[in-house]
Amino acid sequence: MTETRPLPIGVTLGSIGMDGAWWLESARRLDEAGYAGVWCWDHFIGRGDRTVPVLEQWTTLAAVAVVTRRIGIGSFVTNVMNRHPALLARMAGTVQAISGGRLTLGIGIGGHPREHLAYGIDFPEAAERAQRLEEAIGLIRALWSGGPVTLPGPYYPVADAVAFPRPDPPPPILVGASTPAGVRLAARVADGWAAEEMDYERLAGRYLEALAAVGRSRDDVRIVVWFGGGRSG
């Protein structure tokens, strides 16, 4: 409990080894039970048995937007390397429209190289993935304005791009970060931080320092902390 109100509790439902009907029914039940949010992972294959079913994140979130009415929905977290950010901006904007404004976009640099190799997706070093993440967030925000947008970025250049309808409101963007450099990036360019429990305990102070360094305060941002485990996450 906080001093003023109950701490909002959401549930991250695992997407690996799960049935689509189970996922949607679980999300519907969480909605009816009054939870604050339901979150989905972004993976294409399992880490162990590669034959287990894996639900794709954004098609799952779109379906959840239809079968729920109140609960927040979000990506914990989208791998920036898995989709071109202009396409992701359109996908997220569509889910925001379908859900009536309940989406949160969590996004990070990814960390499952075997998955990238299997699907032929580039997996550069972490420093480049962080640069791509920062550029991607700028492009997504620009496209959510409707456009036209022309950006000559080194990774994701666009020319006279438009993106209608504009999401209203634009979904908040959280950066998934587990390093000092990551929390500095989150403090600088995002609406908040998506952290796993151990990373939060280790880096919370550095995140607050990074916020102060760019003239922001804890009240300006949202922090979502993941803890737990097991089949459902």
Side-chain angles (χ1 to χ4, degrees):
M1 301 287 286
T2 66
E3 293 181 357
T4 57
R5 65 186 186 278
L7 189 67
I9 302 295
V11 176
T12 301
L13 297 173
S15 59
I16 300 174
M18 299 300 170
D19 175 80
W22 173 88
W23 220 103
L24 296 183
E25 176 61 14
S26 297
R28 188 190 62 76
R29 291 172 60 192
L30 291 169
D31 187 27
E32 292 181 352
Y35 282 85
V38 60
W39 305 78
C40 186
W41 299 340
D42 186 17
H43 288 293
F44 298 145
I45 61 175
R47 290 184 181 270
D49 182 358
R50 291 162 48 120
T51 66
V52 299
V54 179
L55 300 177
E56 193 279 325
Q57 183 182 64
W58 282 92
T59 44
T60 300
L61 292 175
V64 169
V66 174
V67 302
T68 59
R69 294 291 177 266
R70 181 206 55 82
I71 196 168
I73 57 179
S75 55
F76 201 106
V77 294
T78 290
N79 180 345
V80 69
M81 300 301 300
N82 284 350
R83 301 162 192 84
H84 192 288
L87 173 62
L88 179 60
R90 301 310 312 271
M91 294 164 64
T94 298
V95 173
Q96 181 75 326
I98 293 171
S99 70
R102 293 182 282 133
L103 177 67
T104 297
L105 171 58
I107 188 168
I109 66 171
H112 191 353
R114 189 179 71 166
E115 189 172 72
H116 289 249
L117 178 63
Y119 277 76
I121 299 172
D122 290 342
F123 192 73
E125 294 298 319
E128 180 179 324
R129 301 198 316 270
Q131 293 170 357
R132 285 175 176 268
L133 177 60
E134 183 165 3
E135 184 177 326
I137 291 173
L139 174 56
I140 289 167
R141 290 196 193 281
L143 287 172
W144 282 348
S145 73
V149 177
T150 297
L151 293 173
Y155 302 113
Y156 307 114
V158 296
D160 202 29
V162 296
F164 291 100
R166 294 175 295 185
D168 184 23
I173 297 176
L174 310 181
V175 163
S178 59
T179 66
V183 296
R184 290 194 296 271
L185 177 62
R188 188 171 69 253
V189 305
D191 300 305
W193 176 28
E196 296 193 17
E197 179 184 13
M198 296 301 293
D199 297 326
Y200 174 77
E201 294 176 356
R202 183 169 51 89
L203 295 171
R206 295 201 181 197
Y207 180 59
L208 295 177
E209 292 172 359
L211 287 172
V214 294
R216 305 175 75 188
S217 75
R218 173 66 182 87
D219 292 337
D220 297 329
V221 297
R222 177 182 177 193
I223 300 176
V224 177
V225 181
W226 179 93
F227 65 95
R231 280 175 57 83
S232 72

